[in-house]
Every structure is written in structure tokens, then in C-alpha cells.
Amino acid sequence: RPKSLAVCAAALLTVFSIRTFARGLDWQDNFVLCQHDVQLLPDSYDLHNNLGVELFRHGQIEKAKEEFQRSTELAPSWDVNWSNLGATYMRLGDSRKAEEYYLKSMQNGSYFMAYENYAGLLVAEGRFQEAMRFIETQGLPRFPASAWLNNLYSQLKKHEKEFRQ
């Protein structure tokens, strides 16, 4: 018995070692790995999202948007993909769509980037009082340790009198 158990364990170890080696051949960087994996699992919402992130990082915003849209189709109640889709629209200059998707993300969950991006959108549009209210009532209560929200809020407070006029 101990000998057959050792043989089975060695066989399993060999199989897993071969699989690990083969998987290592798939990897060159995250971008290549995501492209490879999404072809193997085309209905994986998180792989489409991850590929979208890599495309976004490589400046391929339109292609990233397509991947995020596919992710939202596959997982419409997830929060991360909606926030990422909003970020693509913000980068493309469509703040109305970006706002819609950031709000959808926040409706679906508590992804910190949706809150940070939404606050940034409000400021970029000159909606300073609305940004302050949002950060006070929603952003910081959920994410009190967010350095970005804290810094933005302190900057808004510092200039509050200017934009109240």
C-alpha cells in the first residue's frame, strides 16, 4: 500500500508539473496571457474585463471599451466592469456615458475606483459642490482610507468659497 500510494503521488506530481510548465509557456506578460485565455474561455466576464484593463493600459481605448462592454453583458450585476467601462468613456471624452456607468457600478457594489472616478468626473465638469457632497456623504463614509478621496476633498474645501460665488 505505501508503495502504490507513493506511485500515485509521483504520477500526480508529474502531471501537475507538466501542466505548470505548459502554462508557463502561455505567459509573456499579462496582455498576452489575457488574450490567450479569453480565446479559451470566451464567456468569462472577468477575463474580458482583465483584457480590457490591459488594452486600456496599452492605449487601445476603443478595443478596451469593447472588452468591458462584453464583460458587462456577461456579468451585468458586477461593479468593476461597469466602472472600467465608465473610465473608457471618460477617456474618450463622453462624460455623460462615463457618469452613467460609474453610477451603475456604485449601484451594483462598492468598487472604490467607481467612487474615486465619479468624484473626479464631477470636479472635471466643474460640479464642485456636488463633488464635495458626494465625497462627504458617500465616498469617505465607504472608503475613509482613500488617499485620493481625502486629498480631493481637502482641495475642494480649501477652495470652497471660490466656487460658492
Side-chain angles (χ1 to χ4, degrees):
R1 279 213 181 257
K3 188 174 187 177
S4 62
L5 187 60
V7 169
C8 285
L12 275 174
L13 185 61
T14 301
V15 168
F16 288 132
S17 296
I18 291 169
R19 181 62 194 124
T20 300
F21 177 77
R23 183 67 172 154
L25 295 176
D26 294 338
W27 194 87
Q28 293 175 21
D29 58 27
N30 287 340
F31 184 58
V32 172
L33 187 62
C34 288
Q35 287 179 312
H36 172 269
D37 289 354
V38 83
Q39 290 175 355
L40 296 176
L41 299 166
D43 292 331
S44 172
Y45 69 92
D46 55 342
L47 284 176
H48 282 283
N49 182 72
N50 292 346
L51 179 55
V53 168
E54 292 302 319
L55 288 163
F56 192 95
R57 289 178 179 161
H58 283 84
Q60 299 178 39
I61 307 305
E62 283 292 338
K63 288 182 181 179
K65 182 178 78 170
E66 293 171 16
E67 294 300 325
F68 295 136
Q69 285 174 324
R70 180 68 179 134
S71 180
T72 62
E73 292 164 7
L74 293 167
S77 60
W78 194 33
D79 54 353
V80 174
N81 53 4
W82 287 105
S83 179
N84 289 338
L85 183 57
T88 61
Y89 276 96
M90 193 66 185
R91 179 69 64 89
L92 293 169
D94 188 344
S95 60
R96 185 188 60 75
K97 276 287 200 198
E99 180 173 4
E100 176 185 339
Y101 295 139
Y102 292 147
L103 292 172
K104 178 75 172 171
S105 175
M106 290 183 282
Q107 176 187 339
N108 286 353
S110 290
Y111 182 48
F112 77 98
M113 289 293 295
Y115 288 79
E116 291 180 354
N117 288 338
Y118 182 65
L121 178 146
L122 294 173
V123 169
E125 289 191 335
R127 296 157 60 185
F128 303 119
Q129 290 180 301
E130 192 177 345
M132 282 184 60
R133 253 190 331 274
F134 171 75
I135 294 170
E136 286 173 349
T137 63
Q138 294 184 49
L140 288 176
R142 282 189 178 84
F143 306 102
S146 168
W148 199 89
L149 287 174
N150 277 295
N151 184 48
L152 183 59
Y153 185 71
S154 69
Q155 292 300 315
L156 288 168
K157 285 298 268 185
K158 191 184 297 183
H159 299 286
E160 184 176 14
K161 288 181 184 173
E162 295 169 30
F163 56 78
R164 283 193 185 250
Q165 296 174 356

